[in-house]
C-alpha cells in the first residue's frame, strides 16, 4: 500500500492532464439555447443528428453548416428543446431537410452510477492527494501521538558475531561467559540460588570493541539483541524518555530471554542534580525510569542489560550500585599480543603480500585500538588498489599507519631550503635522544614530509609495554620531547614555533609528576583531581585544594623538572653532535628514514649497506661543507669528528 501511495502524486497530475485534454477537445462544441437554435434553423444546413428524448426535454446533438459564412466547415452543436409534439415534428422536418439522418438515443442507456462516479472521481483524487501530503509531512493522524512515545531500540534476532570475531580481550570474554550460560540455561543458576548480574557496564576508550563484545554475547547465547543509544531516550518533551524506557522493557519482556544494549549510556545516566542551573528534568525522569526498570517494583526476569561508556566517572551512583549494574568490565587498549590477534581477525579477507608480518605490525602500533587497527588494514587495502597492486605490501601498511596517526602526506607542500634544514635538525634531535637515552622510546621512523598540522614527526614506540611507569621514564619522555627544540638552539642559535605540540605534551607530563604522581620534592601529596569534570556544576564551587603558596611551589617544581631535562638534552645532543649532523643531512636528502636505516647510520655511518666500512673523517668533513645549512654557527670540530670516527670504528670491530 505504501508503495502505491508514493506514486499518488504522479497519478494525480496525469489525471489532471487527461481532464484538461478532454475539456479542450470539447471546446469546439457549440452549446446553444432554444432561441438561438430557432434562428439558426432558418438558414443552416444540418447533417447527421441524434435525439435523446426524455420526459421534459429533447437533447439534440449534431453538426451544421452556415451558408452565410465564407468557410464551409461543419460545426458541432448541442441544444435542449422542450419535449412537445409540435417541437418533435418541427425538429424532424428541419434536421432532415438537407438529407441529414436522425438517430434516436435511449436516455436510460448510460448507468446512473457511472455518471455519479464520473463526477465524484476528481474530488476523490483531490482528497486522497491532500491526505497523502498531510500524512507525509507528519502533521496528521492520531497515530503519531502514540508512535512518538515508542522506543527506538533496533532488534536483531539472528546475530552473526561470535567470540572468534572479537580478539584482544580474553579476560573480558571470561567476565561475560556466565551471562551466556544463564541465557542458555537459566535453571541451573536458579537451582543453585544464584542471581545472574542484571546489568554489565563496559568501560573503556573509544574503539576498543565494547559494542562488538556485547553483540558477540548475544550471538553466542543465540538470543534477541536490542540496541539503542542513550541519546534516543532524551527528547524536548518531558516524559517522552521515561515512556520510551517503559516501552523498551515491555517489548523486551515479550522476547525474553534477550539482551538490551545501551550505547553511550552517559547521555542519559549522568549524575542527577549536576550542572550550574540544576539537572535537566527530562533526562532525570528518564534515568529514574531506567533505575526502576532495572531494579524496582517490576521484576524483568530474562533481560540482561549491557551498557557501554568511556566516561564512568560521570554516571549516577544509583546506576552503579549492586542490583543494577552489578559488574563493570574494563575493555582496555590491546597489548602487543592482542593487537596481533586483532590484525589477524581483520586480515581474513585481505590479500596480503608474503613479506607482511602482522607481529611486526603489532609492535609498531602501541596505543592503537581495535578500530584503529582495522582502519590501518583498510587504508592499506585502499592504497594497494590505488597503486594498482595485486596484494597489500608492507609499504602500503607502513603508509597506512602514518595516515591513521597523522593524516595523509602533503607531498605538494614544498619547504624553502632554510625551513627544510630546520625541520631536519628538529626531527634529528628527537631521534638522537631516542637512540642515546636509555629510558627513552625507540625510534621506528623519522620523516620531514608534512602530515596534518606537523611539519615532520618521529614514530617512537616503548621498548617494552608496561602498566606502570617509573620517574626516570617520565623524565626521559620530557627529554625526548625537548630534543627538537634543543637541536634548533644548538645548530641555529634560535628556536621556532615548530615545537608547540612537544611543549604542550611535556608540560602535561611535568604537571602530572608534581600534582598527581607525587614525583617531586613536595612529596607524595596529590594536589589535583585527575578525574575532575568542569561541566559538572560541583567543580565550579569546589575550588583548588591547596593554598597560593603551594601553587607557587608546584610551579617551581614543574619548571625545575623541565629545566633539568633540558640540560640533560643539551648535553646528549652536544656530545653526539656528529650523529645529529649525520641524521639531519640524511633526512635532508632522503626525507624519510626507517629504524633500520637510522641504526645503520649510528653503527656504520651510512644507510645503504650495513656491512660497508665506516666512512672516513674526510668524507664527513666534505659532506658537512657541501650541505652546510643556512646560518649554521659552526660545523663539527676536529675533536668531534675524530671521536665519531673512533666510536664508529670500534663498533664495527665489536
Amino acid at each position: 500500500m505504501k508503495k502505491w501511495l508514493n506514486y499518488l502524486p504522479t497519478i494525480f497530475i496525469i489525471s489532471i492532464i487527461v481532464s484538461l485534454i478532454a475539456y479542450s477537445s470539447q471546446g469546439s462544441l457549440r452549446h446553444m439555447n432554444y432561441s438561438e437554435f430557432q434562428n439558426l434553423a432558418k438558414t443552416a444546413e444540418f447533417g447527421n443528428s441524434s435525439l435523446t428524448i426524455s420526459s421534459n426535454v429533447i437533447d439534440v446533438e449534431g453538426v451544421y453548416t452556415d451558408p452565410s459564412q465564407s468557410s464551409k466547415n461543419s460545426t458541432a452543436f448541442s441544444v435542449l428543446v422542450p419535449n412537445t409534439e409540435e417541437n418533435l415534428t418541427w425538429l424532424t422536418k428541419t434536421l432532415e431537410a438537407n438529407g441529414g439522418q436522425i438517430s434516436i438515443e435511449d436516455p436510460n442507456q448510460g448507468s446512473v452510477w457511472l455518471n455519479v462516479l464520473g463526477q465524484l472521481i476528481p474530488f476523490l483524487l483531490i482528497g486522497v492527494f491532500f491526505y497523502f501530503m498531510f500524512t507525509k509531512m507528519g502533521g496528521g493522524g492520531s497515530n503519531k501521538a502514540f508512535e512518538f512515545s515508542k522506543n527506538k531500540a533496533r532488534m536483531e534476532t539472528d546475530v552473526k558475531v561470535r567470540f572468534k570475531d572479537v580478539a584482544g580481550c580474553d579476560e573480558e570474554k571470561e567476565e561475560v561467559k556466565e551471562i551466556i550460560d544463564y541465557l542458555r540455561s537459566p535453571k541451573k543458576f536458579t537451582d543453585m540460588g544464584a542471581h545472574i548480574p542484571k546489568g554489565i557496564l563496559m568501560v573503556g576508550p573509544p574503539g576498543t570493541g565494547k559494542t562488538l563484545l556485547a553483540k558477540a554475547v548475544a550471538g553466542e547465547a543465540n538470543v534477541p539483541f536490542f540496541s539503542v543509544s542513550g541519546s534516543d531516550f532524551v527528547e524536548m518533551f518531558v516524559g517522552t524518555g521515561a515512556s520510551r524506557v517503559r516501552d523498551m522493557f515491555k517489548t523486551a519482556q515479550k522476547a525474553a530471554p534477550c539482551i538490551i544494549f545501551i550505547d553511550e549510556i552517559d547521555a542519559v545516566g549522568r549524575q542527577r542534580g549536576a550542572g550550574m542551573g540544576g539537572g535537566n528534568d527530562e533526562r532525570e525522569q528518564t534515568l529514574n525510569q531506567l533505575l526502576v526498570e532495572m531494579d524496582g517494583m517490576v521484576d524483568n526476569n530474562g533481560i540482561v542489560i549491557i551498557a557501554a561508556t568511556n566516561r564512568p566517572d560521570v554516571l549516577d551512583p544509583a546506576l552503579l550500585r549492586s542490583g543494577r549494574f552489578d559488574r563493570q568490565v574494563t575493555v582496555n587498549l590491546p597489548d602487543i599480543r592482542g593487537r596481533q590477534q586483532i590484525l589477524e581477525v581483520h586480515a581474513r579477507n585481505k590479500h596480503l603480500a608474503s613479506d607482511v608480518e602482522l607481529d611486526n605490525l603489532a609492535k609498531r602500533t602501541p596505543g592503537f585500538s581495535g578500530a584503529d587497527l582495522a582502519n590501518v588494514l583498510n587504508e592499506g587495502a585502499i592504497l594497494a588498489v590505488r597503486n594498482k597492486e595485486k596484494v597489500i605490501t608492507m609499504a602500503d601498511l607502513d603508509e597506512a599507519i602514518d595516515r591513521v596517526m597523522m593524516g595523509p602526506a602533503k607531498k605538494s607542500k614544498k619547504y624553502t631550503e632554510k625551513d627544510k634544514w630546520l625541520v631536519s635538525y628538529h626531527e634529528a634531535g628527537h631521534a638522537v635522544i631516542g637512540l642515546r637515552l636509555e629510558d627513552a622510546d625507540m625510534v621506528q621512523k623519522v620523516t620531514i614530509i608534512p602530515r596534518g598540522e606537523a611539519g615532520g614527526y618521529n614514530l617512537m614506540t616503548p621498548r617494552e609495554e608496561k602498566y606502570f611507569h617509573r620517574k626516570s621514564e617520565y623524565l626521559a619522555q620530557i627529554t625526548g620531547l625537548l630534543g627538537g627544540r634543543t637541536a634548533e638552539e644548538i645548530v641555529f642559535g634560535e628556536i621556532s614555533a615548530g615545537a608547540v605540540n612537544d611543549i604542550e605534551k611535556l608540560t602535561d607530563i611535568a604537571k602530572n609528576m608534581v600534582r598527581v604522581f607525587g614525583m617531586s620534592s613536595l612529596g607524595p601529596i596529590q594536589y589535583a583531581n585527575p578525574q575532575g569534570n568542569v561541566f559538572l556544576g560541583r567543580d565550579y564551587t569546589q575550588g583548588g585544594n591547596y593554598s597560593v603558596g603551594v601553587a607557587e611551589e608546584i610551579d617551581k617544581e614543574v619548571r625545575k623538572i623541565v629545566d633539568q631535562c633540558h640540560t640533560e638534552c643539551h648535553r646528549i645532543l652536544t656530545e653526539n653532535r656528529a650523529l645529529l649532523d649525520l641524521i639531519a643531512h640524511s633526512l635532508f636528502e632522503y626525507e624519510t628514514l626507517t629504524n633500520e636505516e637510522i641504526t645503520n647510520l649510528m653503527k656504520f655511518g651510512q644507510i645503504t649497506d650495513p656491512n660497508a666500512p665506516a666512512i672516513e673523517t674526510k668524507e664527513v668533513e666534505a659532506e658537512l661543507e657541501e650541505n652546510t645549512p643556512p646560518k649554521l654557527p659552526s660545523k663539527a670540530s676536529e675533536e668531534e669528528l675524530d671521536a665519531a670516527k673512533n666510536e664508529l670504528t670500534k663498533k664495527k670491530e665489536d
Side-chain angles (χ1 to χ4, degrees):
M1 184 62 182
K2 292 183 179 179
K3 182 178 180 181
W4 285 104
L5 287 177
N6 293 332
Y7 295 105
L8 187 59
T10 305
I11 297 174
F12 179 74
I13 295 173
I14 294 175
S15 301
I16 292 177
I17 295 174
V18 172
S19 301
L20 291 175
I21 293 174
Y23 179 78
S24 63
S25 65
Q26 295 178 359
S28 61
L29 179 66
R30 182 182 177 185
H31 295 276
M32 296 180 291
N33 55 34
Y34 181 46
S35 299
E36 290 177 340
F37 180 69
Q38 285 180 323
N39 295 329
L40 180 65
K42 297 176 181 179
T43 58
E45 297 178 356
F46 294 95
N48 296 333
S49 303
S50 64
L51 301 180
T52 304
I53 303 174
S54 61
S55 59
N56 295 322
V57 295
I58 303 173
D59 186 2
V60 183
E61 292 184 1
V63 294
Y64 73 91
T65 303
D66 191 353
S68 62
Q69 300 293 332
S70 58
S71 62
K72 302 299 181 180
N73 296 330
S74 298
T75 303
F77 74 94
S78 174
V79 63
L80 294 177
V81 178
N83 185 5
T84 62
E85 186 176 351
E86 292 80 4
N87 286 340
L88 182 59
T89 304
W90 173 72
L91 282 172
T92 304
K93 182 179 179 181
T94 303
L95 296 174
E96 292 179 344
N98 298 311
Q101 296 181 355
I102 299 175
S103 59
I104 306 299
E105 302 289 342
D106 185 3
N108 298 320
Q109 183 177 4
S111 174
V112 177
W113 291 107
L114 290 177
N115 294 333
V116 174
L117 287 176
Q119 296 177 1
L120 291 179
I121 283 177
F123 296 100
L124 290 175
L125 288 174
I126 293 174
V128 172
F129 174 76
F130 281 106
Y131 173 79
F132 171 79
M133 297 300 295
F134 191 58
T135 55
K136 195 72 174 177
M137 291 186 296
S142 59
N143 292 333
K144 294 293 180 180
F146 297 99
E147 292 178 2
F148 191 73
S149 61
K150 296 291 184 182
N151 74 87
K152 296 185 178 180
R154 294 162 292 277
M155 183 179 72
E156 296 181 48
T157 56
D158 186 17
V159 180
K160 303 295 185 183
V161 183
R162 297 292 186 270
F163 274 167
K164 64 180 181 180
D165 301 315
V166 185
C169 50
D170 296 335
E171 293 80 6
E172 291 81 356
K173 293 178 185 178
E174 293 294 331
E175 289 293 320
V176 297
K177 279 187 177 179
E178 293 91 347
I179 303 296
I180 299 173
D181 294 338
Y182 169 74
L183 293 172
R184 286 177 177 174
S185 54
K187 190 176 184 301
K188 66 180 182 180
F189 286 88
T190 56
D191 291 344
M192 188 61 66
H195 296 279
I196 201 68
K198 292 186 177 181
I200 295 179
L201 182 65
M202 293 190 176
V203 180
T208 51
K210 299 183 291 293
T211 303
L212 191 64
L213 184 59
K215 294 190 73 173
V217 173
E220 292 287 344
N222 194 23
V223 295
F225 182 75
F226 292 85
S227 60
V228 66
S229 173
S231 60
D232 288 337
F233 295 111
V234 182
E235 292 282 355
M236 64 180 293
F237 301 106
V238 177
T240 302
S243 177
R244 288 180 176 176
V245 171
R246 287 191 296 269
D247 183 69
M248 180 181 67
F249 276 88
K250 182 179 179 181
T251 305
Q253 189 66 53
K254 297 177 182 178
C258 64
I259 291 176
I260 295 178
F261 176 70
I262 305 177
D263 197 10
E264 304 298 341
I265 194 174
D266 53 279
V268 70
R270 288 183 181 177
Q271 263 189 351
R272 291 168 289 183
M276 289 297 292
N280 179 280
D281 288 340
E282 163 61 4
R283 182 180 56 79
E284 290 193 2
Q285 287 191 24
T286 306
L287 175 58
N288 291 337
Q289 186 62 44
L290 181 61
L291 296 175
V292 172
E293 294 290 344
M294 290 190 67
D295 186 24
M297 293 174 287
V298 180
D299 190 9
N300 290 302
N301 289 325
I303 300 176
V304 177
I305 303 172
I306 300 178
T309 181
N310 50 18
R311 296 298 309 274
D313 52 304
V314 303
L315 296 180
D316 195 273
L319 197 64
L320 302 178
R321 74 159 175 84
S322 299
R324 292 195 174 114
F325 283 108
D326 304 275
R327 184 176 299 178
Q328 289 191 24
V329 178
T330 303
V331 187
N332 284 320
L333 293 171
D335 55 10
I336 183 172
R337 178 172 169 270
R339 291 195 299 272
Q340 182 177 350
Q341 293 175 352
I342 293 173
L343 289 170
E344 290 173 354
V345 169
H346 292 291
R348 291 173 182 171
N349 61 339
K350 304 291 191 302
H351 300 285
L352 301 178
S354 57
D355 62 335
V356 174
E357 297 179 359
L358 295 181
D359 55 341
N360 290 335
L361 200 62
K363 293 178 182 178
R364 300 176 57 185
T365 52
F368 276 45
S369 65
D372 294 332
L373 295 172
N375 195 21
V376 167
L377 289 178
N378 184 61
E379 287 288 342
I382 293 175
L383 290 172
V385 174
R386 182 183 300 174
N387 298 331
K388 299 180 179 179
E389 300 169 348
K390 294 184 178 180
V391 292
I392 304 172
T393 63
M394 199 63 190
D396 296 329
L397 296 176
D398 181 68
E399 173 65 18
I401 294 175
D402 295 339
R403 282 173 168 265
V404 172
M405 293 182 61
M406 305 292 295
K410 298 180 179 180
K411 297 181 179 180
S412 60
K413 182 178 179 180
K414 300 297 183 183
Y415 288 117
T416 62
E417 185 177 0
K418 182 178 179 180
D419 289 341
K420 190 173 181 180
W421 277 116
L422 182 69
V423 176
S424 298
Y425 269 96
H426 182 101
E427 301 303 332
H430 289 301
V432 171
I433 297 298
L435 293 170
R436 293 303 189 191
L437 193 59
E438 181 179 356
D439 292 321
D441 293 339
M442 294 177 59
V443 180
Q444 295 290 347
K445 183 179 180 181
V446 185
T447 180
I448 61 172
I449 298 176
R451 288 182 183 271
E453 298 295 329
Y457 82 99
N458 272 261
L459 176 60
M460 306 181 73
T461 60
R463 299 180 187 273
E464 57 179 346
E465 298 185 22
K466 301 178 180 179
Y467 286 101
F468 303 100
H469 294 277
R470 294 175 285 113
K471 180 180 179 180
S472 59
E473 293 172 346
Y474 285 121
L475 294 175
Q477 288 183 21
I478 297 176
T479 306
L481 291 169
L482 286 168
R485 175 188 170 95
T486 307
E488 295 177 13
E489 294 176 355
I490 295 174
V491 178
F492 299 99
E494 60 178 352
I495 56 177
S496 68
V500 58
N501 190 34
D502 299 331
I503 295 174
E504 180 182 358
K505 292 180 179 178
L506 68 89
T507 303
D508 289 338
I509 296 174
K511 285 184 177 180
N512 286 331
M513 290 177 65
V514 177
R515 300 172 60 190
V516 180
F517 305 137
M519 296 179 177
S520 68
S521 60
L522 296 180
I525 302 175
Q526 191 174 88
Y527 293 102
N529 182 9
Q531 294 182 345
N533 302 295
V534 177
F535 65 88
L536 293 178
R538 60 171 184 249
D539 289 342
Y540 282 103
T541 57
Q542 182 179 0
N545 54 359
Y546 47 84
S547 64
V548 177
V550 172
E552 184 178 358
E553 293 295 324
I554 292 174
D555 292 339
K556 290 181 179 179
E557 289 296 322
V558 171
R559 182 179 297 276
K560 179 180 176 181
I561 290 174
V562 175
D563 290 342
Q564 174 186 345
C565 294
H566 181 261
T567 302
E568 178 68 10
C569 181
H570 194 280
R571 181 190 66 81
I572 294 174
L573 293 180
T574 303
E575 293 178 355
N576 296 272
R577 176 61 187 272
L579 181 60
L580 175 67
D581 292 331
L582 189 59
I583 295 177
H585 283 72
S586 300
L587 279 173
F588 187 88
E589 180 179 357
Y590 300 103
E591 295 187 341
T592 300
L593 298 176
T594 63
N595 174 268
E596 294 78 11
E597 292 171 340
I598 295 174
T599 303
N600 291 338
L601 285 174
M602 182 178 65
K603 291 182 177 180
F604 307 104
Q606 59 185 19
I607 66 174
T608 54
D609 187 6
N611 296 319
I615 58 175
E616 299 293 335
T617 303
K618 294 182 179 179
E619 296 177 356
V620 178
E621 291 177 335
E623 184 179 1
L624 292 175
E625 291 177 355
E626 182 181 355
N627 298 311
T628 301
K631 297 183 179 180
L632 186 64
S634 62
K635 62 181 180 179
S637 62
E638 294 291 335
E639 293 79 10
E640 291 174 341
L641 293 173
D642 291 335
K645 177 184 176 183
N646 295 333
E647 182 178 359
L648 295 174
T649 304
K650 182 178 179 181
K651 287 182 175 294
K652 181 187 174 185
E653 292 174 354
D654 295 341

